[in-house]
Amino acid sequence: MQIENIESMKNIFRAALSGAAFLLVSGSVSASDVVFNPLQSAVPSLTIAPDARGGGMGDVGVATSPDLNSQYWNPAKYAQMNGQGGASLSYTPWLRKIVDDIDLVYLAGYYKLGETRALSASLRYFSYGDIDLTQAPGPTGEVISNGTASPYEMAIDLGYSQMLSEYWSAAVALRFIYSDITNGISEDGTTTSAGKAVAADIAGFYRRPIVLPDDRNAYASFGVNVSNIGSKVSYDDGNTEEFLPTNLRVGGAFEYPFDAYNSLTVSLDLNKYLVPTAPVQRDSESADAYQKRYDDYRDISSVAGIFRSFTDAPGGFSEEMDEIMWSLGLEYCYNKQFMVRGGYFHESESKGNRKYFSVGAGFKLSMFELNGAYLISTSQSNPLDQTLRFSLGFNLDGLKKIAEN
């Protein structure tokens, strides 16, 4: 990626600091009568679904069966994993139609501490690619190079999950977030800094077998995960602060076995960002009055912002409902080894306009599993449109069996 003028790059960074970077994950709006008022937050890469299983089902995962990538969707699922442990590596290209050096790499894994407890961890690294910094040509036409910037965001987290009863499990995950989108570029004597934050996830998972008349087991499950509850992020040593993309995800899933080899799972996720809505300038409002309201919005604490996020939309209840995203996913499984997936994700036009179908497939052996996903956008644009992403996982039990043989 190349920026012809260093001032243009600074403008990009300023926009990112004010929350416009959040729109990186959104589609564009085509309806002229829609008031575009998306929620603003820093570190937008935290909202990208990192794995191919969930991605192949329209970005659902809070209540699906436990898997190696549950750390992102619902870490409480790890306590109900059958294996001793495992790890998964996922790769997601980003804006691949435009550039080839923006991507997300995600590493996740878990280890069971007995039958009822588990430790889990993940590392997320999002690269914005390399940006060549050059000044505009001077009087002689000479172009001066100012080096290369390599902005990126990363998050490291550690989770602990515990069975609370025969069917219920709960988890807490702690996260350190590092967002270096400026590379220390200074302007007018002011040096920017990398944003740092700490956050936590609180999650619960319920999964119960339902015995069918012919003694086959169907499974009903419910999940909830409140993620990225934490401090705000600053890129200018605390002068201004941005909200993290705190998110409430709830959902349910039902797995129905047709026979001993074939099953179908239907899943539904609902998402709402727990971030206060930025004020919109009223028609009769002066610039000073609006600036005062906006400054008050910037001063809201992260905890207060969570509670305000349910009641502060300028459009009232209807706009609050527009802030709820939903996704529906299907997964067909043959012999617990071969999977075919599909799904749909919907977001209101006024809040980002992400609308897309996704398809995916995977297979699982005793030692490893491989999943792939492909997204098809139905809105005007999506950074993942027509993009393949992959996840490769390894199971500790399978590796032990191979070593023993």
Short mmCIF file of all heavy atoms in Angstrom, two decimals, residues 131-154:
data_model
loop_
_atom_site.label_atom_id
_atom_site.label_comp_id
_atom_site.label_asym_id
_atom_site.label_seq_id
_atom_site.Cartn_x
_atom_site.Cartn_y
_atom_site.Cartn_z
N ILE A 131 3.12 0.69 4.41
CA ILE A 131 2.72 1.94 3.77
C ILE A 131 3.97 2.77 3.49
O ILE A 131 4.69 3.14 4.42
CB ILE A 131 1.74 2.74 4.66
CG1 ILE A 131 0.50 1.90 4.98
CG2 ILE A 131 1.35 4.05 3.97
CD1 ILE A 131 -0.44 2.57 5.94
N ASP A 132 4.25 3.03 2.24
CA ASP A 132 5.38 3.87 1.85
C ASP A 132 5.02 5.33 2.06
O ASP A 132 4.03 5.83 1.51
CB ASP A 132 5.76 3.64 0.39
CG ASP A 132 6.24 2.22 0.14
OD1 ASP A 132 6.84 1.65 1.06
OD2 ASP A 132 6.00 1.70 -0.97
N LEU A 133 5.85 6.03 2.82
CA LEU A 133 5.61 7.43 3.13
C LEU A 133 6.47 8.30 2.22
O LEU A 133 7.70 8.23 2.25
CB LEU A 133 5.94 7.73 4.59
CG LEU A 133 5.22 6.84 5.63
CD1 LEU A 133 5.70 7.21 7.02
CD2 LEU A 133 3.73 7.01 5.50
N THR A 134 5.83 9.10 1.40
CA THR A 134 6.56 10.02 0.52
C THR A 134 5.93 11.40 0.56
O THR A 134 4.72 11.53 0.72
CB THR A 134 6.56 9.52 -0.93
OG1 THR A 134 5.20 9.41 -1.39
CG2 THR A 134 7.24 8.16 -1.04
N GLN A 135 6.74 12.41 0.46
CA GLN A 135 6.24 13.77 0.36
C GLN A 135 5.88 14.09 -1.09
O GLN A 135 6.39 13.49 -2.02
CB GLN A 135 7.30 14.76 0.86
CG GLN A 135 7.54 14.66 2.36
CD GLN A 135 8.56 15.68 2.82
OE1 GLN A 135 9.17 16.36 2.01
NE2 GLN A 135 8.73 15.80 4.13
N ALA A 136 4.96 15.05 -1.25
CA ALA A 136 4.60 15.48 -2.59
C ALA A 136 5.81 16.08 -3.30
O ALA A 136 6.69 16.65 -2.66
CB ALA A 136 3.47 16.50 -2.52
N PRO A 137 5.90 15.93 -4.62
CA PRO A 137 7.05 16.48 -5.37
C PRO A 137 7.22 17.98 -5.13
O PRO A 137 6.25 18.74 -5.08
CB PRO A 137 6.69 16.19 -6.83
CG PRO A 137 5.73 15.04 -6.76
CD PRO A 137 4.95 15.25 -5.50
N GLY A 138 8.46 18.39 -4.95
CA GLY A 138 8.76 19.80 -4.76
C GLY A 138 8.88 20.54 -6.08
O GLY A 138 8.48 20.03 -7.13
N PRO A 139 9.45 21.77 -6.06
CA PRO A 139 9.56 22.58 -7.29
C PRO A 139 10.34 21.89 -8.39
O PRO A 139 10.09 22.08 -9.57
CB PRO A 139 10.27 23.85 -6.81
CG PRO A 139 9.98 23.92 -5.34
CD PRO A 139 9.93 22.48 -4.88
N THR A 140 11.30 21.06 -8.00
CA THR A 140 12.12 20.39 -9.00
C THR A 140 11.53 19.05 -9.42
O THR A 140 12.11 18.33 -10.23
CB THR A 140 13.54 20.16 -8.45
OG1 THR A 140 13.46 19.30 -7.30
CG2 THR A 140 14.18 21.48 -8.05
N GLY A 141 10.37 18.68 -8.85
CA GLY A 141 9.75 17.41 -9.17
C GLY A 141 10.30 16.25 -8.39
O GLY A 141 9.94 15.09 -8.65
N GLU A 142 11.20 16.52 -7.45
CA GLU A 142 11.83 15.45 -6.69
C GLU A 142 10.87 14.91 -5.64
O GLU A 142 10.24 15.67 -4.90
CB GLU A 142 13.10 15.97 -6.02
CG GLU A 142 13.84 14.92 -5.21
CD GLU A 142 15.05 15.50 -4.51
OE1 GLU A 142 15.24 16.73 -4.61
OE2 GLU A 142 15.79 14.75 -3.88
N VAL A 143 10.75 13.59 -5.53
CA VAL A 143 9.93 12.93 -4.52
C VAL A 143 10.82 12.45 -3.39
O VAL A 143 11.81 11.74 -3.62
CB VAL A 143 9.14 11.75 -5.12
CG1 VAL A 143 8.34 11.06 -4.03
CG2 VAL A 143 8.22 12.24 -6.23
N ILE A 144 10.50 12.86 -2.19
CA ILE A 144 11.33 12.53 -1.03
C ILE A 144 10.69 11.40 -0.25
O ILE A 144 9.52 11.45 0.10
CB ILE A 144 11.51 13.77 -0.12
CG1 ILE A 144 12.13 14.91 -0.92
CG2 ILE A 144 12.36 13.42 1.09
CD1 ILE A 144 12.20 16.21 -0.14
N SER A 145 11.46 10.36 0.02
CA SER A 145 10.96 9.22 0.78
C SER A 145 11.08 9.49 2.27
O SER A 145 12.07 10.06 2.74
CB SER A 145 11.75 7.96 0.42
OG SER A 145 11.36 6.89 1.27
N ASN A 146 10.06 9.12 3.00
CA ASN A 146 10.06 9.26 4.46
C ASN A 146 9.97 7.90 5.14
O ASN A 146 9.46 7.78 6.25
CB ASN A 146 8.89 10.14 4.91
CG ASN A 146 9.13 11.61 4.60
OD1 ASN A 146 9.73 12.34 5.36
ND2 ASN A 146 8.66 12.01 3.42
N GLY A 147 10.41 6.87 4.47
CA GLY A 147 10.43 5.55 5.09
C GLY A 147 9.12 4.79 4.88
O GLY A 147 8.29 5.14 4.05
N THR A 148 8.95 3.76 5.68
CA THR A 148 7.80 2.88 5.58
C THR A 148 7.14 2.72 6.94
O THR A 148 7.82 2.55 7.96
CB THR A 148 8.21 1.49 5.05
OG1 THR A 148 8.82 1.64 3.77
CG2 THR A 148 7.02 0.57 4.93
N ALA A 149 5.82 2.79 6.98
CA ALA A 149 5.06 2.54 8.20
C ALA A 149 4.42 1.16 8.09
O ALA A 149 3.99 0.74 7.01
CB ALA A 149 3.99 3.60 8.40
N SER A 150 4.35 0.45 9.21
CA SER A 150 3.76 -0.89 9.25
C SER A 150 2.77 -0.97 10.40
O SER A 150 3.04 -1.61 11.43
CB SER A 150 4.85 -1.95 9.39
OG SER A 150 5.77 -1.90 8.33
N PRO A 151 1.62 -0.31 10.29
CA PRO A 151 0.65 -0.32 11.38
C PRO A 151 0.06 -1.72 11.59
O PRO A 151 -0.10 -2.50 10.64
CB PRO A 151 -0.43 0.66 10.92
CG PRO A 151 -0.29 0.70 9.43
CD PRO A 151 1.16 0.48 9.14
N TYR A 152 -0.26 -2.03 12.84
CA TYR A 152 -0.84 -3.32 13.16
C TYR A 152 -1.59 -3.25 14.49
O TYR A 152 -1.41 -2.30 15.27
CB TYR A 152 0.23 -4.41 13.24
CG TYR A 152 1.17 -4.28 14.43
CD1 TYR A 152 0.93 -4.97 15.61
CD2 TYR A 152 2.29 -3.45 14.37
CE1 TYR A 152 1.79 -4.85 16.70
CE2 TYR A 152 3.15 -3.32 15.45
CZ TYR A 152 2.90 -4.03 16.62
OH TYR A 152 3.75 -3.89 17.69
N GLU A 153 -2.42 -4.24 14.72
CA GLU A 153 -3.12 -4.39 16.00
C GLU A 153 -2.97 -5.84 16.44
O GLU A 153 -2.98 -6.76 15.60
CB GLU A 153 -4.60 -4.04 15.85
CG GLU A 153 -4.83 -2.58 15.54
CD GLU A 153 -6.30 -2.22 15.33
OE1 GLU A 153 -7.09 -3.13 14.98
OE2 GLU A 153 -6.64 -1.03 15.49
N MET A 154 -2.86 -6.04 17.75
CA MET A 154 -2.74 -7.40 18.26
C MET A 154 -3.44 -7.51 19.61
O MET A 154 -3.65 -6.51 20.31
CB MET A 154 -1.27 -7.82 18.39
CG MET A 154 -0.49 -7.04 19.42
SD MET A 154 1.21 -7.67 19.59
CE MET A 154 0.89 -9.32 20.24
#
